[in-house]
Amino acid sequence: MSGLSLSEKVMIGTSLLGGMSGVVGSFAVLRRRALVGDMLSHAALPGVCLAFLVLGNRDLLGLSLGALATGLLAIGAVTVIVRWTRTKEDAAIGIVLSTFFGAGIVLLSVIQKPGVGGNKAGLNFYLFGEPANMLTGDLYLLAVVSSVMLLIVALLYKEFQLVSFDADFAQSQGWPTLRLDLAMMAALAVVTIVGLPIVGVILMAAMIILPAATARFWTNRLPMMLLLAGAFGVAAGLIGTQLGRDLPAGATIVLTAAAMFVFSLLFAPQRGVVARVLAEWHLRQRISREHLLRALYELGETRLPQIAALPVEQLRAYRYWKPRSLERLLQWAVGEDMVKLGDVHVQLTPLGLRHAADLTKVHRLWEMYLMQHADIPADHVDRDADDTEHLLPEAVLVELEQQLADEGRLPRAIPEVPESPHELEASREP
Amino acid sequence: MSEHSPILLAALPELSVDAWIVITGAVTNVACALVGCFLVLRRMSLMGDAISHAVLPGLVVAFLFSGSLSIVPLFIGAAAVGLLTTFLTQSLHQYARVPGDASMGVVFTSMFALGVVLLKKYVSGVHFDVACVYEGALEYVPFAEPVFGLPRPLFTTLVVLLVNLVVLALLWKELKVSSFDESLASTMGFSATAMHYLLMTLVAVTAVASFEAVGSILVVAMLIVPAATAHLLCDRLGIMVILAAGVGVAAAILGYLAGYWFDTNYAGMMAVAVGCLYALAVLLSPRYGLVSTLVRNLRMSLKVLRDDLLSMLYRVEELSSEKPLSPAKALQAVGGGWLAQWGLAGLVRVGQVESRDDRLQLTDAGRNAARNLVRSHRLWETFLVEHLGMPLDHVHEPAHRVEHYIDEHLQKELQAEVDATAGDPHGREIPE
């Protein structure tokens, strides 16, 4: 491995770090402990300084062990505070973070005094990160830590999954949730502390959160999320170091991850903003179309079975449509062959009548259900039904209709589907 | 310090370098503690951490536009970015369904990274030291250029402290209600959202004003820790704010003294000092402290143990059993251990129980107390059976738990509800 150039080493190192923090960070994000990474990276500072004071050199392994010690101490402190005092978790994290970091700053200024020996030029890198300092040995350390982390995640996969999604259930099933939580946080601590000298305090917190939060947009399944978060982390490491040739690499790595986050935020299927806005727009369109058909049915209902030709103005006034939007709705209905549009009159086609009658039936079924079972007065149900009718699943409708029919309350005005003229095969029933 | 403006020069005594450091620290801490109380109550403590990191790009951009480190553009930049951070965090959480803590983490770390890149790309060479943002330069405050006779960092934090005080005084009710109950705030006709953003603006401005003097780490500490400490000590918001300010001042003084003693960074020491004050409050708070909780629990257990011993002896007497109840057996019956021994020793000391020939016996005083307990126990059992229809074999346990809390008043009420002459449901007499 010594044949690698520095930039290759940096690339391998940052992508290892990215992948590892993506996987471990996924659990932290799901467990709502995203900011523990932030706390850990701050709490590492006093440990680093102490290790330096004790060892007198800046051997990465020694400093990391020091950092790990104070990191674990910080986790313990937060756990104690949350369990035993009325201070809430967010404040507990803040308290531990700032006190530990303050202690770190104090120790740092002790180290910087002229009397203290050792090569201290490199301690600041622990705060702000410097990938270019990476040595081949550091790369081995990263590789070992990543494999150990992956192994731990693989071994405790089921337990971590349970605790991340439903800690109360886990506890009620007899799992040691406190110990599992601590194990999860300890894994987070190890990853954070290995990454600190590479990307720095704040940006390490970002590496824990960003790939995981990005992956969450793309999937609802944990294994997929772990895979994606790892992949996003690796990609952020690779691309970020490429972009950051003359910029602080830690920052460019995080900005790359942030760019991936924003892209996913916008364009992920289902959970992405664009997809959700589109879905909402479609729903709104469907609702106004259904309202048009039902309005036409209700206005012409008295003259059934003849299909009445209604003045467009009367229709507009019925639901207070804006002329423009009514025009657009009618154009859609004409295109779908639901209505015939004259100069001043509009008339449902037989196809349109069928649809309109179905929609009205749904509306009235729901109204009746609300009156009967939710005790909502008759003059209040129209609005409620208006909101809900578009969302009722088929199964609910069938049940409602059956129930009301059993009670003899199904009004005649609701068109029934005629009986089948032939015998239905029983085998077709599901 | 010879450049004081003449008016203030007369008013201010010539202060030593050390006094300026302590005063600046104290003013900063109080300014942070005031807004911090509301952050802690709203469970948004880490917003202080987030905003104080996220303002970096705002500061850089403000610096680029104004070309100077003068305070007004920096404030505007900071306030704008503070609001942006809040808005983005909120929106990500609300509309993109990112969990609250993760959305905060995403926003502030990305902003900070952006700030670092901007800094490196456009501002290199200017005095804009990232380490200095962390650690602050409290040591150099007294030597800063004076504004109205005060060192500039002190002047800015003083202004911010005044702004915070004025806003808190004017909008006290609104901030209070919206912190505790957003829906109530809305029904009372003012916008909880507006209060939220106002508070975040205050946090951002306070943070930026304090950076120069004390560094971001002390800002984060002072936004959260004094308020959390005060929260452990009292239950009223007004008192909490005053206490938090007091804790801030105390931390400034203690931090300074410790920093002077060990000859190290003052801001870091102040953060450590306030952390220690919090730890003290955790241990010693009269109401919520660990020690007082422990003492309370111990006294409670002791009382329960003594009550159990007394009523056990009474029941033994009632059965007129000839078998002596030895202290060892009695202790074993109530669970044993040093606490039980302690409880028995207490009973003997106050003269309610005598121990003779390895046999425990009630004194007259003890018998009265025990009778009262057994009466409470049996009244409660009767009540449970007669009025709540509980089965016979289920009433002993709840009565055993509750007998320690039934006072004279409750006994009277119970007596009025049940027929005490008929004995308890197990057929035993209810003593008078």
Side-chain angles (χ1 to χ4, degrees):
Chain A
M1 218 188 251
S2 48
L4 294 173
S5 73
L6 178 65
S7 68
E8 282 166 331
K9 273 192 233 166
V10 170
M11 242 160 60
I12 295 174
T14 50
S15 44
L16 273 175
L17 175 68
M20 175 167 65
S21 43
V23 172
V24 178
S26 294
F27 289 109
V29 167
L30 289 174
R31 187 78 182 94
R32 306 280 191 269
R33 295 271 165 83
L35 291 170
V36 169
D38 184 34
M39 178 194 76
L40 282 168
S41 40
H42 282 94
L45 183 63
V48 171
C49 296
L50 280 177
F52 178 81
L53 283 173
V54 172
L55 298 173
N57 62 38
R58 39 174 293 232
D59 167 47
L60 188 64
L61 189 64
L63 297 189
S64 299
L65 286 179
L68 188 63
T70 46
L72 294 178
L73 194 65
I75 291 174
V78 169
T79 313
V80 166
I81 290 176
V82 172
R83 240 175 138 79
W84 292 91
T85 76
R86 75 194 299 225
T87 305
K88 304 291 176 293
E89 186 165 16
D90 61 322
I93 291 177
I95 290 164
V96 173
L97 175 157
S98 52
T99 309
F100 273 61
F101 199 73
I105 299 270
V106 167
L107 289 171
L108 207 55
S109 81
V110 169
I111 290 174
Q112 273 155 359
K113 268 189 256 176
V116 180
N119 172 14
K120 51 208 173 192
L123 272 191
N124 262 355
F125 78 100
Y126 232 103
L127 284 184
F128 309 113
E130 191 44 74
N133 281 351
M134 212 177 302
L135 307 171
T136 312
D138 303 348
L139 217 51
Y140 283 125
L141 180 68
L142 267 174
V144 170
V145 171
S146 335
S147 352
V148 171
M149 282 303 121
L150 282 180
L151 192 68
I152 289 178
V153 168
L155 285 178
L156 290 174
Y157 175 77
K158 183 184 66 184
E159 287 81 359
F160 280 179
Q161 182 178 31
L162 191 59
V163 173
S164 313
F165 284 101
D166 197 338
D168 293 335
F169 175 71
Q171 191 149 30
S172 73
Q173 293 291 301
W175 289 101
T177 47
L178 184 67
R179 262 180 285 163
L180 284 174
D181 256 345
L182 286 179
M184 205 189 276
M185 294 302 114
L188 197 62
V190 172
V191 173
T192 308
I193 279 142
V194 176
L196 272 184
I198 300 176
V199 291
V201 170
I202 301 301
L203 306 176
M204 192 53 227
M207 289 309 288
I208 298 284
I209 305 172
L210 275 168
T214 309
R216 185 69 188 90
F217 280 115
W218 296 90
T219 175
N220 288 326
R221 318 250 356 131
L222 185 59
M224 198 58 189
M225 180 174 166
L226 293 179
L227 216 63
L228 281 176
F232 287 138
V234 171
L238 285 178
I239 302 171
T241 30
Q242 286 297 315
L243 292 177
R245 291 227 178 272
D246 51 346
L247 292 168
T252 52
I253 292 170
V254 170
L255 284 183
T256 315
M260 291 197 279
F261 175 83
V262 171
F263 179 83
S264 311
L265 163 76
L266 291 176
F267 303 114
Q270 281 185 33
R271 291 175 71 99
V273 169
V274 172
R276 299 229 330 264
V277 167
L278 267 181
E280 199 180 309
W281 186 72
H282 278 303
L283 178 66
R284 238 175 245 198
Q285 211 169 31
R286 209 184 90 208
I287 289 176
S288 46
R289 285 168 182 175
E290 293 187 0
H291 281 161
L292 174 76
L293 290 178
R294 188 155 62 79
L296 283 166
Y297 182 89
E298 284 172 351
L299 285 171
E301 193 174 13
T302 48
R303 276 184 267 170
L304 283 174
Q306 239 136 37
I307 304 180
L310 301 160
V312 174
E313 183 48 34
Q314 189 194 356
L315 176 67
R316 198 197 62 75
Y318 189 66
R319 280 199 85 101
Y320 307 102
W321 269 299
K322 290 197 197 88
R324 284 282 307 274
S325 45
L326 181 59
E327 200 180 312
R328 240 177 297 142
L329 278 173
L330 284 172
Q331 266 166 17
W332 163 82
V334 170
E336 293 287 313
D337 209 14
M338 298 274 195
V339 303
K340 278 180 287 192
L341 189 58
D343 284 340
V344 284
H345 284 84
V346 54
Q347 190 181 19
L348 284 167
T349 61
L351 174 70
L353 182 67
R354 274 265 298 286
H355 279 282
D358 276 345
L359 292 169
T360 313
K361 182 170 81 173
V362 170
H363 179 77
R364 293 188 183 164
L365 281 173
W366 189 246
E367 279 181 339
M368 281 188 293
Y369 176 78
L370 286 181
M371 283 164 66
Q372 209 181 6
H373 292 275
D375 282 333
I376 295 177
D379 50 348
H380 278 60
V381 290
D382 191 29
R383 284 283 285 282
D384 290 343
D386 232 26
D387 292 338
T388 329
E389 63 191 40
H390 317 281
L391 309 170
L392 291 174
E394 201 73 25
V396 174
L397 291 175
V398 172
E399 200 179 318
L400 278 178
E401 201 168 341
Q402 188 57 51
Q403 204 179 339
L404 292 167
D406 288 348
E407 295 165 13
R409 290 177 39 94
L410 205 59
R412 292 256 174 77
I414 293 178
E416 290 280 358
V417 181
E419 260 183 57
S420 174
H422 56 85
E423 236 173 290
L424 291 168
E425 281 177 54
S427 59
R428 281 198 192 156
E429 294 286 311
Chain B
M1 238 149 275
S2 53
E3 287 169 349
H4 287 168
S5 71
I7 311 163
L8 278 165
L9 188 61
L12 284 169
E14 195 69 27
L15 289 172
S16 66
V17 169
D18 307 303
W20 286 119
I21 291 175
V22 176
I23 290 175
T24 310
V27 168
T28 315
N29 293 356
V30 173
C32 292
L34 289 182
V35 284
C37 285
F38 293 94
L39 282 183
V40 167
L41 282 179
R42 287 162 180 250
R43 306 201 182 167
M44 300 192 319
S45 314
L46 291 170
M47 211 59 206
D49 183 30
I51 286 184
S52 54
H53 287 109
V55 289
L56 186 60
L59 297 184
V60 177
V61 170
F63 173 76
L64 288 178
F65 271 105
S66 68
S68 73
L69 281 170
S70 69
I71 208 72
V72 176
L74 286 191
F75 270 9
I76 296 173
V81 175
L83 285 180
L84 185 67
T85 310
T86 317
F87 174 74
L88 287 178
T89 303
Q90 196 91 337
S91 313
L92 274 186
H93 180 48
Q94 236 163 27
Y95 301 113
R97 298 184 199 163
V98 181
D101 59 337
S103 74
M104 187 190 288
V106 164
V107 173
F108 89 82
T109 53
S110 307
M111 302 268 271
F112 187 80
L114 187 66
V116 170
V117 168
L118 287 177
L119 202 58
K120 181 84 178 181
K121 192 124 192 165
Y122 300 107
V123 198
S124 56
V126 184
H127 175 70
F128 211 114
D129 187 359
V130 187
C132 176
V133 171
Y134 269 112
E135 300 171 21
L138 209 43
E139 290 79 358
Y140 304 115
V141 163
F143 311 110
E145 49 175 312
V147 182
F148 295 112
L150 300 169
R152 202 186 70 159
L154 176 56
F155 177 75
T156 32
T157 45
L158 210 52
V159 170
V160 171
L161 172 62
L162 280 179
V163 170
N164 287 349
L165 276 175
V166 169
V167 172
L168 248 58
L170 290 180
L171 295 172
W172 177 256
K173 183 190 72 191
E174 285 80 357
L175 281 169
K176 181 169 157 178
V177 174
S178 61
S179 298
F180 285 103
D181 192 340
E182 287 199 5
S183 336
L184 178 64
S186 304
T187 55
M188 284 170 76
F190 52 88
S191 159
T193 319
M195 285 303 130
H196 175 76
Y197 281 104
L198 174 74
L199 191 64
M200 291 306 141
T201 316
L202 285 185
V203 171
V205 170
T206 310
V208 171
S210 318
F211 276 163
E212 190 181 1
V214 301
S216 76
I217 192 57
L218 190 56
V219 174
V220 176
M222 289 305 157
L223 280 172
I224 305 172
V225 193
T229 310
H231 189 232
L232 289 177
L233 297 175
C234 65
D235 289 312
R236 304 208 54 89
L237 181 60
I239 300 173
M240 176 174 161
V241 170
I242 294 169
L243 276 178
V247 172
V249 173
I253 296 171
L254 291 175
Y256 167 76
L257 290 176
Y260 187 80
W261 185 259
F262 295 110
D263 186 21
T264 95
N265 182 290
Y266 291 125
M269 260 314 179
M270 287 179 188
V272 174
V274 80
C276 293
L277 287 176
Y278 174 80
L280 270 183
V282 165
L283 287 177
L284 301 179
S285 157
R287 191 150 191 201
Y288 301 105
L290 293 186
V291 172
S292 67
T293 312
L294 193 67
V295 169
R296 225 175 12 241
N297 289 350
L298 265 182
R299 285 166 84 162
M300 194 68 225
S301 316
L302 216 53
K303 176 179 157 50
V304 169
L305 270 170
R306 288 165 65 160
D307 285 359
D308 286 351
L309 280 170
L310 280 177
S311 50
M312 182 168 61
L313 285 169
Y314 184 86
R315 289 194 177 93
V316 170
E317 267 187 14
E318 199 179 38
L319 294 170
S320 29
S321 155
E322 287 305 310
K323 253 170 79 183
L325 185 62
S326 71
K329 262 195 202 158
L331 289 179
Q332 202 188 356
V334 293
W338 57 272
L339 203 62
Q341 281 176 5
W342 199 4
L344 183 58
L347 283 176
V348 173
R349 199 174 55 243
V350 299
Q352 291 187 324
V353 172
E354 286 173 331
S355 178
R356 251 182 300 168
D357 318 328
D358 201 34
R359 177 192 179 112
L360 286 179
Q361 193 133 33
L362 287 170
T363 64
D364 285 344
R367 195 168 296 112
N368 282 334
R371 187 183 297 124
N372 198 35
L373 279 166
V374 173
R375 175 175 166 75
S376 294
H377 180 96
R378 293 187 179 161
L379 278 173
W380 189 251
E381 282 186 341
T382 318
F383 179 78
L384 287 182
V385 169
E386 285 186 10
H387 288 265
L388 301 181
M390 284 178 69
L392 265 188
D393 52 345
H394 275 61
V395 292
H396 174 77
E397 188 56 35
H400 187 64
R401 281 168 189 273
V402 107
E403 64 189 20
H404 316 283
Y405 311 102
I406 295 180
D407 57 3
E408 205 177 335
H409 177 72
L410 194 56
Q411 268 189 8
K412 280 204 180 109
E413 280 192 27
L414 282 172
Q415 192 178 9
E417 292 282 330
V418 303
D419 180 14
T421 53
D424 79 354
H426 307 292
R428 280 186 290 257
E429 182 198 0
I430 297 179
E432 274 302 314

